[in-house]
Amino acid sequence: MNTFGRNFRCTTFGESHGLAVGAVVDGCPPNVPLAEADIQPYLDRRRPGKSPLASGRQEADRVEILSGIFEGKTTGAPIALLVRNRDVRSEDYDALRDVFRPGHADYTWQAKYGLRDHRGGGRSSGRETLARVAAGAVAIRCLEPSGITVRGRVVEVHAATDPETMEAEIRAARDAGDSVGGIVEVTASGCPAGLGDPVFGKLDAAIAGAMMGIGAVKGVELGEGFGAARFFGSEMNDPITAEGFSSNHAGGVLGGISTGQDIVVRLAVKPTPSIRKAQRTVDIAGKEREITVEGRHDPCIAPRVVPVAECMLAMVILDAMLEQGKYRGFGAMG
Amino acid sequence: MNTFGRNFRCTTFGESHGLAVGAVVDGCPPNVPLAEADIQPYLDRRRPGKSPLASGRQEADRVEILSGIFEGKTTGAPIALLVRNRDVRSEDYDALRDVFRPGHADYTWQAKYGLRDHRGGGRSSGRETLARVAAGAVAIRCLEPSGITVRGRVVEVHAATDPETMEAEIRAARDAGDSVGGIVEVTASGCPAGLGDPVFGKLDAAIAGAMMGIGAVKGVELGEGFGAARFFGSEMNDPITAEGFSSNHAGGVLGGISTGQDIVVRLAVKPTPSIRKAQRTVDIAGKEREITVEGRHDPCIAPRVVPVAECMLAMVILDAMLEQGKYRGFGAMG
Amino acid sequence: MNTFGRNFRCTTFGESHGLAVGAVVDGCPPNVPLAEADIQPYLDRRRPGKSPLASGRQEADRVEILSGIFEGKTTGAPIALLVRNRDVRSEDYDALRDVFRPGHADYTWQAKYGLRDHRGGGRSSGRETLARVAAGAVAIRCLEPSGITVRGRVVEVHAATDPETMEAEIRAARDAGDSVGGIVEVTASGCPAGLGDPVFGKLDAAIAGAMMGIGAVKGVELGEGFGAARFFGSEMNDPITAEGFSSNHAGGVLGGISTGQDIVVRLAVKPTPSIRKAQRTVDIAGKEREITVEGRHDPCIAPRVVPVAECMLAMVILDAMLEQGKYRGFGAMG
Amino acid sequence: MNTFGRNFRCTTFGESHGLAVGAVVDGCPPNVPLAEADIQPYLDRRRPGKSPLASGRQEADRVEILSGIFEGKTTGAPIALLVRNRDVRSEDYDALRDVFRPGHADYTWQAKYGLRDHRGGGRSSGRETLARVAAGAVAIRCLEPSGITVRGRVVEVHAATDPETMEAEIRAARDAGDSVGGIVEVTASGCPAGLGDPVFGKLDAAIAGAMMGIGAVKGVELGEGFGAARFFGSEMNDPITAEGFSSNHAGGVLGGISTGQDIVVRLAVKPTPSIRKAQRTVDIAGKEREITVEGRHDPCIAPRVVPVAECMLAMVILDAMLEQGKYRGFGAMG
């Protein structure tokens, strides 16, 4: 299932070391001004190779809009977004052809499909998120006239919470041939109350599904999240005043529907599974092997999860607005 | 959206103080032996009024199978499950007609629909989960010949983790006119490897969406979950040996696909929002009010979330098995 | 798949000789005045036993609304509609237990499911359409404030086109222990232009799928339909004037989207397959048998297809209006 | 809605005079040998400019597979198919910018979207079917090991039924600056019994929806189709013998499920709406205009509908096989 969303539908395709990755966005409202320049900055943020701490893969990742735009505006027709792959060093992966990397999808995809494209993780590569980001950038553009913005950041790395210590943790892990996990927080501001569709289309359920579907994410929480388990009801409930809610422990969702406050989501990101440290595994014949994963890998994937989480959240919100008929759009269009 | 699932589809209906609640299960495999007696025990477990600590509502909650069974077996036709409501004291709720209870769906449903059935929460009541449990019991029955079982339990209440202290915490909250949160853990055993459908139909994403869609749940995690943010990659990755994985930090899912190990999920359950303690809120006209929620309410909802979470997990797993063509079923049928 | 529709979703359940048939309507807009009395007349029109020419089954078919209504109005919650079965004479069907009736679903359902409820056709019985009609009556009610009406009629029976000859054809077939086919025309008036969703959600495609899914329907056409194959383009194209289209050869749909003119659909209805005349068939073991189908059957099913086709068309149109955000509804609600 | 199918899902994109048209196929089984050479012949058959009677647009229409293939076989990942547009003479269409062509989607798309890409019909162009054909060719390839084949042909043009007269009719229409309609018949052979999913997922309903969704199609029938309206039941019912059905009036589907016989579908194709003859219409401001449509257009579109109808039918059948778990595939793979 490579399609996400019910009204704003994003279908992604492409493998890490294939010809291209891309997305088709269907259900985009008409009359939205859109050009490659609206999408490219989000791809650039997601791109590896931007800091000495990140993976060294150097790709331009230039997006091309193939359809759905006429005279600078969306028409309601599907928008095909294409990014050709470059700088593909498949030979790096030859050693991994018949071996299952621990912590990766290698073993499970083999179990499911009976065969797999092992080069760079193939379809299960983090590179697939590039297509989500391209589609999400379209959603973010659509949300502009509604005054809705989405912002994410890394709030924790290996228990550290201030930027300097976080960076030190990443550096230490890299130097040890290891990796570390972290926590990402994403906030959507400006959402109207009333988004989400009970009982099985709740906004928080849609967000949880979207976020847990990002590779390396092992947990999702809204508002107080797991902390709520330690609250009294009298602490957790957000009082309502004539000016609105006076706190936001709920994280912007009650009964599965948006309250109009900030929607606050946190994601637990596991350590990058690709590490140079030796690990025990088996090959496709079941024979035990020791593996050290070479190649270019981020020692902490949390920073690169940020734009992906933002884009997924934007798509969920736009989808809900379209579902509820709350999308108003640009200018005169109905 | 009151339908859950893609292949095993459960549609629920009914309000807390209406005539009935129920579910229609569509996509159930044929040839599964099924009777009311297979479903009733799950409803009984979910039922309130079973301990001095729980809500006092006394309902028989007898399920009736209206369709889809012929000579004691499912036929592949939709299975309608009906539970008539009794012991409905709507007058308890008259005072709440025009007031938004903090922490409840009252405010957001009014924002979405412009009107609402205020009696006992109407459609947003926890009573709706009765229908999910009935449908989930069918899924659990279907999973039997595959050797798959699902078991949940409360693992934490207000930071307490041993049963006696948990019970004391609940009692203390009740006596204070307050409520407390907790954590529920659900484990599915016996699942084959290969369940789940990348990129947007991942098993863990489906689980997260299903769990976050249960009322009062504010967080979901698999395996190490948020703890993974504090791990090194060399700690988090589960080594693979000739005998299989030698640990299960992943919680049974890698790359969105089941590994064949136990699937371990934890849910953060917020404190019951209905409390006797006075709270600030507004009425439908925006006028500030003080509210004390009377009526019969559990001071900790976590124990009653357990069977709901089990049933949702069973439905997700059966759905994935049907998607992958991995369901084998009872006896001679294909 | 027992659910129809994307936005206004109707899930039906129940067998001919089971306890009940019914439907759950999900996605109904809130604030629509609705009671049993709005639905019952449609069930009465569909009901057999109303003329000496029709099947003799005498059923009250009283509908009960179990949920989704509060103080006389829809709330946006699912509407469960239940009709208990009565007057069930299952023993009539004992002789058919192991025999496949020609022209019926008996053979194909056995092939698909490996077992079946043979009593009166079980789930494949025409009685299932009762549930569609109940749900469609809700759609018709929803369409009222938009000024959209749907009307059907039998326009041909066994090549006869005037009412008296049509009735004579039916009578003759009945007396011969045989049955005859016919053509039904359904027209929706008052639809706005702009309904339908290219490329794979076209309005005419949705209508065709809905109509062909009615039992006994073997063909569907819009506007000139098969007659268009004998037209010149200069005859077929509807000229557009300042007052609008000056003809309606298209039947109200161009490029898959409504033009604002009447939507005109015709259905080919095959002769009722249940006939008293002897027919050749086989039993479940493959042994050849001669069969004469006793019991109460309409010699021409076209008249009873009329309300079903009206209701399906109403559901398709309401669904499209909700999809396009063109539904305005009753009174002040958004 | 630009996605077709539930299990084998085809999403198309692209406009007549944009950069490219294409499709993303999701849900394709793994382990299917596939290359551009398997798809290209179907595009060549669909291509215009192959006879003196057809539209003169000369395009290579070379398909490129961008993803989903590894070492010559499908992997289960989405298959992106791209055809770059060439030979685009947009200026031909400048005169049509603000005018609605009768019989086209111009008026209705403007009503729906408020703006449109007028160049060559934009997204509503017949060129979009190129993407369906590319995706359908993949489905046809997947069906090979099951022995299922799909074949279509023109069986009638403007009432003529022999090839020579049909060609004469087309030639005469062209010379008169006019166009003519026709009837296409498509037959699928080798389908197993048991395909299709009652009540709302019937095989014939899916076929009808798929076929009516092809531009210019105004009617769809199975087996005897509209002719069945003139049959007695004793003529229409296909007798069943120990060797199987002894006739196929049903056209291969009973009760919405395949019988195992040939599935026979006929489509009514209206005359090409683009004609040189003068027609009355209005412009976007509502002012009356006379229009003569220049450019390259087929005087009869039926021949070019043939490969499109074949491909849609193949997709419906493969989808149903995947739904029922009846797809067996190539070689050792499950």
Side-chain angles (χ1 to χ4, degrees), chain C residues 38-320:
Chain C
D38 295 305
I39 300 170
Q40 194 63 45
Y42 293 88
L43 300 186
D44 293 345
R45 280 179 63 204
R46 195 214 68 95
R47 190 156 60 92
K50 296 186 61 185
S51 94
L53 296 174
S55 144
R57 185 165 173 172
Q58 300 292 341
E59 310 208 5
D61 287 350
R62 305 302 306 178
V63 68
E64 185 185 16
I65 302 179
L66 293 177
S67 66
I69 307 293
F70 179 59
E71 301 184 340
K73 292 180 177 177
T74 62
T75 61
I79 302 167
L81 304 164
L82 189 70
V83 178
R84 294 272 176 182
N85 288 337
R86 293 165 214 271
D87 183 28
V88 169
R89 304 205 316 237
S90 299
E91 57 275 18
D92 281 4
Y93 292 90
D94 281 354
L96 301 172
R97 190 184 179 90
D98 297 324
V99 186
F100 301 132
R101 292 168 300 166
H104 273 285
D106 299 356
Y107 175 85
T108 53
W109 283 51
Q110 187 76 33
K112 178 178 164 66
Y113 294 113
L115 80 177
R116 68 194 166 92
D117 180 348
H118 69 281
R119 301 166 305 165
R123 178 71 182 147
S124 73
S125 165
R127 190 162 172 77
E128 178 274 331
T129 61
L130 190 156
R132 305 191 196 189
V133 168
V138 176
I140 288 171
R141 182 79 175 117
C142 292
L143 289 173
E144 266 182 43
S146 307
I148 297 172
T149 55
V150 179
R151 282 283 173 276
R153 61 198 176 100
V154 178
V155 294
E156 195 181 311
V157 169
H158 206 239
T161 56
D162 79 282
E164 224 169 279
T165 324
M166 289 197 266
E167 194 169 322
E169 288 287 348
I170 298 176
R171 202 176 299 268
R174 186 198 55 185
D175 293 347
D178 213 329
S179 63
V180 280
I183 295 178
V184 166
E185 184 175 283
V186 201
T187 302
S189 301
C191 294
L195 301 183
D197 205 341
V199 168
F200 292 120
K202 290 180 174 176
L203 188 63
D204 44 2
I207 291 171
M211 296 302 165
M212 194 69 98
I214 301 173
V217 171
K218 299 303 290 183
V220 186
E221 57 182 17
L222 265 89
E224 296 298 337
F226 276 85
R230 304 188 169 191
F231 273 51
F232 285 116
S234 54
E235 297 167 313
M236 181 71 192
N237 288 348
D238 298 306
I240 321 179
T241 74
E243 285 73 44
F245 292 93
S246 64
S247 59
N248 188 15
H249 300 298
V253 180
L254 277 177
I257 304 180
S258 65
T259 62
Q261 296 177 280
D262 278 1
I263 295 171
V264 184
V265 188
R266 266 181 310 282
L267 322 180
V269 181
K270 75 175 185 181
T272 319
S274 293
I275 54 174
R276 287 201 318 278
K277 275 196 172 171
Q279 299 179 82
R280 292 166 59 208
T281 189
V282 298
D283 65 20
I284 202 171
K287 192 163 167 286
E288 301 206 345
R289 302 270 293 265
E290 195 179 84
I291 189 173
T292 62
V293 182
E294 303 295 338
R296 301 152 298 179
H297 305 288
D298 300 286
C300 180
I301 202 73
R304 294 185 61 202
V305 165
V306 171
V308 183
E310 288 173 359
C311 284
M312 294 305 296
L313 185 55
M315 286 198 280
V316 170
I317 289 169
L318 178 57
D319 197 68

Side-chain angles (χ1 to χ4, degrees), chain B residues 70-85:
Chain B
F70 180 59
E71 301 184 340
K73 291 182 177 176
T74 62
T75 62
I79 302 166
L81 304 164
L82 189 70
V83 177
R84 294 272 174 180
N85 287 338

Side-chain angles (χ1 to χ4, degrees), chain B residues 28-34 69 72-75 138 141-142 327 329-330:
Chain B
C28 183
N31 208 36
V32 176
L34 187 72
I69 308 293
K73 291 182 177 176
T74 62
T75 62
V138 176
R141 182 78 174 115
C142 292
Y327 183 71
F330 285 79

Side-chain angles (χ1 to χ4, degrees), chain C residues 1 112 178 200 234 242 324, chain D residues 1 112 178 200 234 288 324:
Chain C
M1 173 54 73
K112 178 178 164 66
D178 213 329
F200 292 120
S234 54
Q324 321 298 326
Chain D
M1 172 55 73
K112 179 179 164 66
D178 213 329
F200 293 120
S234 55
E288 299 207 347
Q324 321 298 326

Side-chain angles (χ1 to χ4, degrees), chain B residues 159-225:
Chain B
T161 55
D162 79 282
E164 224 168 277
T165 324
M166 290 197 265
E167 194 170 320
E169 287 287 348
I170 297 176
R171 201 176 299 269
R174 187 198 55 185
D175 294 345
D178 213 329
S179 63
V180 281
I183 295 178
V184 165
E185 183 174 283
V186 201
T187 302
S189 303
C191 294
L195 301 183
D197 205 340
V199 167
F200 292 120
K202 289 180 175 176
L203 188 64
D204 43 2
I207 291 171
M211 295 302 166
M212 194 68 97
I214 301 173
V217 171
K218 299 303 290 183
V220 185
E221 58 182 17
L222 265 89
E224 297 297 338

Side-chain angles (χ1 to χ4, degrees), chain A residues 204-284:
Chain A
D204 44 2
I207 291 171
M211 296 302 166
M212 194 68 97
I214 302 172
V217 171
K218 299 303 288 183
V220 185
E221 58 182 17
L222 264 88
E224 296 298 337
F226 276 87
R230 305 190 169 191
F231 273 52
F232 285 115
S234 55
E235 297 166 314
M236 180 69 192
N237 288 347
D238 299 306
I240 321 179
T241 73
E243 286 73 45
F245 292 92
S246 64
S247 59
N248 188 15
H249 299 300
V253 180
L254 276 177
I257 304 180
S258 65
T259 62
Q261 296 177 280
D262 279 1
I263 295 171
V264 185
V265 188
R266 265 180 311 281
L267 321 180
V269 182
K270 75 175 185 181
T272 318
S274 293
I275 54 175
R276 287 202 319 279
K277 276 198 173 171
Q279 300 178 81
R280 292 167 58 209
T281 188
V282 297
D283 64 20
I284 202 171

